[in-house]
Amino acid sequence: MENTTVEKKKIVLSCIQPTGTPTLGNYLGALKNWANMCDDYNCLYGVADLHSITVPTFRENPQQLKKNTLELYALLLAIGLDPEKNIIFVQSQVPTHAQLGWILNCYTQFGEASRMTQFKEKSQRLGENISVGLFDYPVLMAADILIYNADFVPIGADQKQHLELARNICDRFNAIYGNVLKAPDPFIGKAGAKITSLQDPTKKMSKSDDNPKSYISMLDEPNVIMKKIKSAVTDSEACVRYAEGKDGINNLMTIYSCCTGKSFEEIEKEFEGKGYGDFKTAVGEAVCAELAPIQARYKELIADKKYLEECMKKGAEMATRISQRTLDKVMKKVGFYQTK
Ligand code: ATP
Ligand code: MG
């Protein structure tokens, strides 16, 4: 009886790259929703290490990639993901992703892949050192999602275009072979979908940003968090209100709202007649309070490598088993010769 209800739950899939400690943006835009969806859906969450070698920093620093992977895995458990209830895996330990990724390359148009704004932005930053992998990133991401027949993908707003591409690839594949793959829907939270850089609030906050003052890492100490928020770029109006052209304040209001549950209206009232100094202190304190229990749990988990590796192994085995079914079906439909 219990099994039937489990079967009926919708499938949720999302991944995060081990390109650094997740930021407050990653948390409020994606990870917090991952944790919230844990009970109501069949969730699969991955550490996307295959994606991380698309940029030179991690191609050239294997030890760092390895270290980041374990730390990110521990952090995923620390935010409340339960490896007993959900499948939490490391992408490179599940070979089916790359296998389906290759196949889907052949059902992706060069022109549509060329329109991806993340590629344009990241390749501009990298100058000469642009790999084909960086260009191909969204196709592997489509495979990550489609291999599990995911219904929903909790992501930040920056990944919306990639999700649309995944849907297009899915439709193109199904148009030839019938109803093989499931078209996924994005799950983008109402608040926090785009947390911006503290130093340039017109840009998104990124964990791979060269300037650590631009982001709050989920493992930053409280005094560092306070300092970074105090030095966040705002405006000269000195009035806490959500309005066009006030990107810095809008961002801090969004962060404050996500951490306290207060609406923008309530926040405006709370800080009526008060300056940015008071407001920034309150934002900093709210962020510290939100992250403190996660940081405490993280410290315990990272000290237990054996447990983390056991969870990883189990996660990879389950993810491989489930995704293999889709891969087998796809390979058969495509016409790859199968022996009995
Ligand atoms: P990188 O700079 O290496 O790409 P990133 O910070 O963009 O790092 P990802 O691993 O690419 O992190 O993304 C993980 C998840 O976090 C995705 O769902 C993404 O949409 C979400 N996300 C990333 N940045 C933000 C942000 N500033 N606000 C809200 N969500 C975000
Ligand atoms: Mg990113």
Side-chain angles (χ1 to χ4, degrees), residues 33 67 79 85 112 138 199-200 231 252 312 327 332:
N33 292 330
K67 183 170 178 281
I79 63 167
K85 278 197 264 169
E112 65 183 345
Q199 292 301 313
D200 176 359
S231 64
L252 293 179
M312 250 185 212
L327 183 66
K332 198 168 164 198

Side-chain angles (χ1 to χ4, degrees), residues 15-17 19 25-26 29-30 122 137 154-156 158-159 192-195 204-208:
C15 296
I16 179 164
Q17 298 189 75
T19 42
N26 298 130
K122 286 199 174 173
Y137 173 119
I155 42 170
D158 64 309
Q159 290 293 340
K194 190 186 176 192
I195 300 298
K204 88 168 188 87
M205 184 182 280
S206 264
K207 59 175 133 63
S208 61

Side-chain angles (χ1 to χ4, degrees), residues 86-142:
N86 308 125
I87 299 176
I88 306 162
F89 63 91
V90 174
Q91 187 190 27
S92 64
Q93 297 174 1
V94 185
T96 48
H97 289 240
Q99 287 174 290
L100 182 65
W102 169 256
I103 297 174
L104 295 185
N105 273 319
C106 303
Y107 300 82
T108 307
Q109 298 291 306
F110 187 81
E112 65 183 345
S114 308
R115 283 194 290 276
M116 296 298 114
T117 53
Q118 177 180 281
F119 172 71
K120 288 182 200 165
E121 282 163 15
K122 286 199 174 173
S123 54
Q124 221 165 28
R125 246 197 289 149
L126 293 173
E128 297 282 288
N129 207 345
I130 304 161
S131 68
V132 174
L134 185 67
F135 182 74
D136 200 29
Y137 173 119
V139 184
L140 180 59
M141 177 169 159

